[in-house]
Amino acid sequence: MLMPDDFKAYSKIKVDNHLFNKENMPSHFKFKEYCPLVFRNLRERFGIDDQDFLNSLTRSAPLNSDAQGRSGARFHTSYDKRYVIKIISSEDVAEMHNILKKYHQFIVECHGNTLLPQFLGIYRLTVDGDETYMIVTRNVFSHRLSVYKKYDLKGSTVAREASEKEKQPSQPEDVPLRPKSGNVQQRLQTLRIATRFYCAMKHVRDAKELPTYKDNDFINDGQKICIDGENKKMFLEKLRKDVEFLAQLKLMDYSLLVGIHDVERAEQDDVESEDNEPEDEGESDGGGIGTPPDSPSNTLDGTKPLSPGEFDPAIDVYAIKSNDSAPRKEVYFMAVIDILQHYDAKKKAAHAAKTVKHGAGAEISTVNPEQYSKRFYDFITTILS
């Protein structure tokens, strides 16, 4: 059972070792894990095995990822693409602490059945006095089904279209990272996570980023989410409870992240990829990025071969198949993201300024939490068919 102090607790580790290879690791750094028992309990309620979680974060360095949130945010995924590591601000950490107890209670009450982000851990890495804060969540998108188009939907129409620059696949720059303890096993686990995080963030790897389209783009594309009646009912019921919870916490400015996997397109891409591969003239040398034989990814994927467009609902928890009458066979990945924005004085001022600029009836994104949640929910109901 969690105690009140568990929501304030942390574990810290300081590494002071001149034997490290400075090209890969600093000789001095500090690492802090916030509320470790609370997040361990949350992982359990989300059906995530603690050892599998640790393996995903530490077996190999995280990878640079397409952003799944606000513009300019830096993201990585675990090497097996199960988890997203987002660089956040100290203000986000403070807001997370403010809502953590109620968030945990909500997850307990809904038995982990939610469209909200699955928060799995918060960490701080300090190198040369510079602090980097990170939050780990379950990946909204699949680790094996590729997404060819994604949307960030708020239910607002004012300035809610991707610019021409945003529509171009971007290539992140190489950005260098400026540079109460548990038991020994916990400290070793913390150190393993810290070293992997540092290796991933020291330099952002080259990666083409999928453009993120917005509300007006979704409407102008004539896009619809074609799911069957039962899935639609369950999805909207979860969404209703989620946005009511966010409104109670005075949170707003969140989005529905939608990723679309086109089954036929993916199959065609696989065929073309196989056709372009050179024929082997002997045994493979094992080159490329492989999955270790005892990794959780290999175990879960290998025991149950999946057909094109199929997924394991225990892993791809945000996935829903298109219905039989859909124009294309698709899989949709949908989750509520960016929920840490409180309706504070700054947002109230922005609301007033935008109202003056666009008029009282304009569908601006900055509105009070109750209005935001209702408009958001109503809009999402219109895109489901």
Side-chain angles (χ1 to χ4, degrees), residues 328-343:
R328 291 179 301 276
K329 187 177 181 182
E330 296 175 326
V331 179
Y332 309 107
F333 301 93
M334 298 183 288
V336 178
I337 62 168
D338 292 335
I339 70 167
L340 296 180
Q341 181 58 60
H342 195 265
Y343 192 59

Side-chain angles (χ1 to χ4, degrees), residues 66-85:
D66 285 353
Q68 293 189 14
R70 301 189 193 283
S71 175
R74 287 176 58 190
F75 288 81
H76 294 77
T77 63
S78 58
Y79 84 94
D80 57 6
K81 299 182 181 179
R82 301 288 172 85
Y83 307 106
V84 170
I85 303 152

Side-chain angles (χ1 to χ4, degrees), residues 54-77:
L54 180 65
N55 287 343
S56 291
L57 294 183
T58 63
R59 191 176 291 276
S60 187
L63 310 170
N64 190 55
S65 168
D66 285 353
Q68 293 189 14
R70 301 189 193 283
S71 175
R74 287 176 58 190
F75 288 81
H76 294 77
T77 63

Side-chain angles (χ1 to χ4, degrees), residues 195 226 318 364:
T195 54
C226 304
Y318 298 109
I364 59 176

Side-chain angles (χ1 to χ4, degrees), residues 82-138:
R82 301 288 172 85
Y83 307 106
V84 170
I85 303 152
K86 180 183 179 183
I87 310 302
I88 60 175
S89 66
S90 57
E91 291 79 11
D92 288 331
V93 175
E95 186 60 42
M96 191 68 221
H97 273 95
N98 288 338
I99 72 167
L100 186 56
K101 188 173 290 186
K102 291 182 179 178
Y103 172 83
H104 179 270
Q105 181 182 349
F106 179 76
I107 297 305
V108 171
E109 291 173 354
C110 73
H111 306 288
N113 192 21
T114 178
L115 299 172
L116 296 180
Q118 293 191 3
F119 294 123
L120 307 174
I122 303 180
Y123 309 92
R124 186 188 73 192
L125 177 63
T126 306
V127 180
D128 297 332
D130 290 323
E131 298 175 338
T132 301
Y133 298 90
M134 296 157 282
I135 190 165
V136 179
T137 59
R138 190 193 288 269

Side-chain angles (χ1 to χ4, degrees), residues 151 153 155 215 218-219 222-227 232 235-236 239 256 258 332 334 376-385:
Y151 295 91
L153 306 177
D215 301 65
F218 190 94
I219 295 168
Q223 186 70 56
K224 283 288 185 179
I225 305 300
C226 304
I227 57 178
K232 180 179 179 179
F235 178 86
L236 289 177
L239 185 65
L256 185 76
V258 178
Y332 309 107
M334 298 183 288
F376 180 80
Y377 180 84
D378 289 346
F379 176 76
I380 301 306
T381 62
T382 67
I383 70 173
L384 302 179
S385 64

Side-chain angles (χ1 to χ4, degrees), residues 140-201:
V140 175
F141 298 153
S142 175
H143 65 290
R144 58 176 294 272
L145 300 181
S146 58
V147 166
Y148 85 95
K149 199 158 192 178
K150 64 176 179 176
Y151 295 91
D152 180 285
L153 306 177
K154 293 179 182 288
S156 168
T157 55
V158 173
R160 289 296 297 163
E161 55 274 322
S163 66
E164 289 304 314
K165 183 179 179 180
E166 289 174 320
K167 292 177 183 178
Q168 300 302 316
S170 62
Q171 188 151 339
E173 297 177 0
D174 191 35
V175 182
L177 175 71
R178 297 277 312 165
K180 182 177 176 174
S181 302
N183 59 34
V184 174
Q185 183 64 24
Q186 289 174 328
R187 288 172 64 84
L188 287 173
Q189 291 179 353
T190 301
L191 178 59
R192 288 172 66 188
I193 295 175
T195 54
R196 286 305 188 192
F197 282 3
Y198 178 83
C199 290
M201 290 184 297

